[in-house]
Amino acid sequence: MIMFSGVNQETKEIEEFSIEEVYYVDLFKPKTTAKNGILQYHTRRGTFLGLVTLEDIAWYWRDFGFYALDSVNVINANNIVCIKEDTFSATAIFDDGSTTSVSKKRLHLIEHLNIPRKCPS
């Protein structure tokens, strides 16, 4: 089953819904967004707007461990194995060896998680 996440237009909460629940998809065009609009899913459980920006993901997925730790990504802190730091930068390292950048100024957001700052060699 293919699942999507979206913001329920009635409750303003993020919810998952299956592709089987979708009646149709059109574009929601608020005045402040790009001319192409935002995907709007009409389902048997209501209307959902797709998440389209990093800010959306950071806000609506925050309760699931996601943090805006850099201006170019949103990171699931639950999957960080360690943080590698040098003088000028920081990098989040995941269990499969993949990495992404972390702003050193935003590391305080995840200090309470006690993620190791030294990575195994």
Side-chain angles (χ1 to χ4, degrees), residues 7-64:
V7 179
N8 184 309
Q9 287 295 83
E10 289 182 28
T11 65
K12 304 300 182 210
E13 295 292 322
I14 189 166
E15 296 180 25
E16 286 189 340
F17 54 94
S18 70
I19 196 166
E20 289 85 4
E21 293 180 86
V22 176
Y23 292 137
Y24 66 96
V25 179
D26 62 9
L27 290 176
F28 174 73
K29 294 187 179 186
K31 294 178 182 177
T32 60
T33 62
K35 63 181 177 179
N36 293 334
I38 299 169
L39 291 177
Q40 181 171 244
Y41 301 89
H42 300 270
T43 76
R44 62 178 66 114
R45 292 191 295 126
T47 301
F48 297 85
L49 291 180
L51 303 178
V52 296
T53 67
L54 290 174
E55 290 82 10
D56 288 347
I57 297 294
W59 175 255
Y60 287 104
W61 289 4
R62 67 189 183 281
D63 293 340
F64 304 104

Side-chain angles (χ1 to χ4, degrees), residues 68-94:
L69 297 179
D70 203 349
S71 62
V72 297
N73 60 40
V74 175
I75 299 172
N76 184 347
N78 298 313
N79 290 327
I80 299 173
V81 173
C82 61
I83 302 287
K84 180 179 175 183
E85 290 184 78
D86 62 29
T87 307
F88 301 105
S89 65
T91 304
I93 300 178
F94 301 95

Side-chain angles (χ1 to χ4, degrees), residues 87-113:
T87 307
F88 301 105
S89 65
T91 304
I93 300 178
F94 301 95
D95 60 4
D96 67 352
S98 63
T99 63
T100 193
S101 59
V102 175
S103 168
K104 290 183 85 165
K105 292 179 181 178
R106 295 186 187 178
L107 280 173
H108 71 278
L109 297 172
I110 59 170
E111 280 181 355
H112 67 284
L113 299 175

